[in-house]
Amino acid sequence: MTRTIVASIALLAVSALVTQPSAAQSAQDDQALAKQSQNPIANLISLPLQNNTDFGQGLNDATVNTLNIQPVYPVTIGKWNMINRAILPVIWQGEVVAGIGSEFGLGDLSYTAFFSPAEAGTVTWGVGWSAGLGGVVLAMTGQWVLGALAQNVWSFAGDSARSDVNFLLSQYFINYNFPNFYLSSAPIITANWEAASGQKWTIPFGGGAGKLFRLGKMPVDGQVQVFYNAVKPDDAADWTLRLQFKMLFPK
């Protein structure tokens, strides 16, 4: 009886050693997941919470805080992935002009669907729509995740009293992954084609760092980046601090 118990314990111990991943393997898995999280058209369900704090906005050099709730839900259709992305801004705006006070509310909800090959190689791409056209190209090689995204949106319905929308949003992203963290630069470049000459473009430069960690069993990709707006309209912010926490739900 004693020998049977000892043999059973030994068998369980060997089984645990075989089935449990090593610390090195877990680190490699987390690094691979971090790289996947950096891919905007990855086949990965996620819920990013991206907070952008703009400093020096308006005539009163106010602070404006925008929390973007950005759920991503991919669906595989045959040989294609449809990456469904929505953005809901929650905005607190300081007193950008003296005497008007601060404001708090929701911005416009936007939705984009990107179509990309389900079997992606080192270089992959996607095309999308959201009352306009968009595209993304991405390369993952070694420790690098490199790419660019661009989308132009036009207004086509809604309140006729509101100004027309003709807006370009583009973003390049450069990520280098170390074993336990990564460096990142992903500024958002915009152009408002309806604005007056010399007031159309906002071009920031900067970057920061990120790390994949876990809340219980849930992997979370956290990052911080700082950007200086080198080119901007007169009343636009000078600096932006971006904090992002992206909850990941691997399939």
Side-chain angles (χ1 to χ4, degrees), residues 180-193:
N180 296 314
F181 72 100
Y182 62 89
L183 299 178
S184 179
S185 178
I188 298 174
I189 301 168
T190 60
N192 180 4
W193 304 119

Side-chain angles (χ1 to χ4, degrees), residues 60 95-102:
N60 212 32
E95 194 173 36
V96 294
V97 178
I100 68 170
S102 61

